[in-house]
């Protein structure tokens, strides 16, 4: 099952991706609840909102599958493309936290002159940086080197603390794509100064995410996906998630030993080799077949308006 957080007109809701169509899952959920429980409840305005409205834990996927089967049986498929042009928002627009793996592909560790780690290394990225499909990445004025990084992103569906890797994937709602954009020059300066590199990863718009959330029913094995990053159509990164040093289950085990993960939290699982800079005017496309293509143009930061002379 593929879900999208969308906006059409002034409405925000959740859509089910059905072939090439986007159908109204928010209203569908209301009809399901009205029929089953006598109360429609509010329309979920986003996937994050949906997490708070449907049963969590192991019931999550079963419940959503039941809703879809109900809508299918009653032929309740209202296309959101009729009479409007729905716009995709990030699947999770404001995650509680975004944790990112560093050097989780050996060949990328080698190109950044870092040794392959012996345990998962992770850092945080500001949730404020998240943008969605087709939204512009703002290229900071005066920046020396900005790099995109294609990554498989895990979206947590169930509160998790100190889980073993054998059961870790049960806590995953689904997967999406995250472009971990980095001010590489600033990051190197901060590393040399023995400072954290949070800033270089967290500028506004430096976290494109999407285009949709694919639930685990469609991706039973997150280590069998292909990642490609193209800039202006030219392939820069291409690898398989089978090349990760630490697979998704082990990452969740490691993080959850110390940090509780909540529904809607996002884990970016690291980028493969092939990092190279982008420039204003470029178009970046992160592609994982089975999830989709996350596409974002790069635009130059506008210079601040010049202050008018005093006394005028
Ligand atoms: Mg990264």
């Amino acid at each position: 099952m593929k879900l999208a957080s969308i906006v059409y007109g002034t409405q925000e809701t959740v859509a089910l991706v059905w072939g090439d169509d986007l159908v109204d899952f928010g209203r569908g959920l209301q009809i399901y609840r009205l029929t089953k429980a006598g109360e429609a409840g509010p329309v979920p305005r986003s996937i994050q909102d949906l997490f708070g409205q449907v049963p969590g834990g192991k019931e999550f996927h079963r419940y959503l599958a039941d809703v879809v089967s109900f809508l299918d049986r009653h032929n309740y498929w209202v296309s959101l493309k009729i009479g409007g042009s729905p716009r995709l928002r990030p699947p999770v627009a404001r995650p509680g936290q975004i944790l990112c793996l560093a050097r989780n592909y050996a060949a990328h560790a080698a190109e950044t002159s870092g040794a392959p780690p012996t345990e998962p290394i992770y850092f945080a990225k500001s949730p404020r940086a998240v943008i969605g499909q087709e939204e512009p990445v703002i290229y900071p004025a005066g920046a020396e080197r900005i790099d995109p990084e294609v990554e498989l992103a895990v979206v947590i569906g169930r509160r998790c603390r100190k889980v073993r890797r054998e059961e870790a994937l049960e806590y995953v709602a689904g997967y999406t794509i995250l472009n971990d954009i980095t001010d590489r020059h600033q990051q190197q300066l901060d590393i040399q100064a023995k400072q954290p590199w949070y800033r270089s990863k967290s500028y506004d718009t430096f976290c494109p995410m999407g285009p949709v959330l694919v639930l685990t029913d469609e991706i039973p094995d997150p280590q069998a996906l292909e990642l490609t990053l193209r800039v202006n159509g030219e392939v820069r990164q291409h690898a398989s998630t089978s090349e990760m040093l630490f697979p998704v289950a082990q990452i969740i085990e490691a993080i959850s030993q110390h940090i509780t993960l909540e529904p809607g939290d996002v884990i970016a699982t690291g980028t493969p080799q092939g990092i190279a800079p982008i420039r204003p005017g470029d178009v970046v496309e992160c592609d994982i077949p089975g999830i989709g293509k996350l596409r974002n143009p790069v635009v130059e930061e506008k210079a601040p308006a010049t202050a008018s002379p005093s006394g005028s």
Side-chain angles (χ1 to χ4, degrees):
M1 186 186 309
K2 292 187 179 78
L3 295 174
S5 296
I6 64 153
V7 58
Y8 68 106
T10 57
Q11 303 279 327
E12 292 176 341
T13 189
V14 176
L16 177 72
V17 183
W18 196 254
D20 289 335
D21 208 354
L22 289 171
V23 299
D24 192 339
F25 192 74
R27 295 279 177 212
L29 178 64
Q30 284 191 306
I31 290 169
Y32 174 85
R33 288 190 296 220
L34 191 62
T35 309
K36 299 271 176 173
E39 209 172 312
V43 173
R45 292 171 60 238
S46 65
I47 292 172
Q48 229 166 340
D49 214 8
L50 184 71
F51 285 141
Q53 288 193 19
V54 302
K58 287 183 175 170
E59 288 301 303
F60 176 75
H61 291 93
R62 204 175 331 170
Y63 182 89
L64 292 183
D66 198 45
V67 177
V68 172
S69 132
F70 169 87
L71 298 178
D72 204 17
R73 270 200 316 278
H74 294 83
N75 202 23
Y76 183 81
W77 294 126
V78 176
S79 172
L80 293 169
K81 289 188 173 176
I82 294 172
S85 44
R87 185 169 62 76
L88 294 170
R89 298 169 60 219
V92 187
R94 285 293 176 264
Q97 53 185 343
I98 303 174
L99 299 172
C100 306
L101 270 283
R103 290 184 268 141
N104 198 27
Y105 289 80
H108 172 63
E111 76 182 346
T112 54
S113 62
T118 54
E119 59 175 325
I121 299 173
Y122 54 91
F123 58 89
K125 192 171 175 85
S126 171
R128 281 288 165 79
V130 173
I131 58 171
Q133 177 80 327
E134 296 289 350
E135 286 191 71
V137 172
I138 308 294
Y139 192 97
E144 294 204 12
R145 177 170 171 170
I146 304 296
D147 289 351
E149 298 181 353
V150 59
E151 307 197 10
L152 173 69
V154 177
V155 177
I156 297 293
R158 177 180 165 199
R159 175 183 258 247
C160 118
R161 167 94 177 142
K162 290 190 189 296
V163 294
R164 291 178 306 120
R165 71 189 71 172
E166 292 78 11
E167 64 201 25
L169 296 186
E170 292 173 19
Y171 293 81
V172 176
Y175 301 93
T176 187
I177 306 171
L178 190 150
N179 182 353
D180 177 20
I181 298 180
T182 307
D183 184 333
R184 192 71 66 197
H185 180 67
Q186 185 63 55
Q187 184 190 32
Q188 293 308 319
L189 292 178
D190 287 337
I191 289 171
Q192 283 160 21
K194 296 189 166 35
Q195 303 287 353
W197 67 63
Y198 181 83
R199 166 175 50 174
S200 63
K201 294 278 187 178
S202 297
Y203 299 174
D204 290 348
T205 75
F206 269 26
C207 191
M209 197 195 299
V212 300
L213 177 71
V214 182
L215 301 190
T216 51
D217 60 334
E218 290 191 18
I219 302 182
D221 180 8
Q223 308 312 137
L225 299 169
E226 224 180 296
L227 306 160
T228 305
L229 182 135
R230 297 182 191 87
V231 177
N232 306 328
E234 182 189 307
V235 174
R236 295 274 184 86
Q237 292 181 287
H238 181 71
S240 163
T241 55
S242 65
E243 297 167 47
M244 282 184 198
L245 295 172
F246 304 104
V248 171
Q250 194 178 346
I251 293 168
I252 293 171
E253 178 186 67
I255 293 174
S256 74
Q257 296 312 303
H258 306 291
I259 299 173
T260 300
L261 294 167
E262 297 278 358
D265 283 353
V266 172
I267 302 169
T269 55
T271 202
Q273 70 281 10
I275 49 169
I278 46 175
R279 297 293 309 164
D282 288 346
V283 175
V284 185
E285 189 181 82
C286 297
D287 182 359
I288 301 183
I291 299 180
K293 291 177 181 172
L294 172 63
R295 190 178 178 281
N296 299 89
V298 183
V299 303
E300 188 145 33
E301 183 178 28
K302 286 194 182 79
T306 317
S308 50
S310 59
S312 65

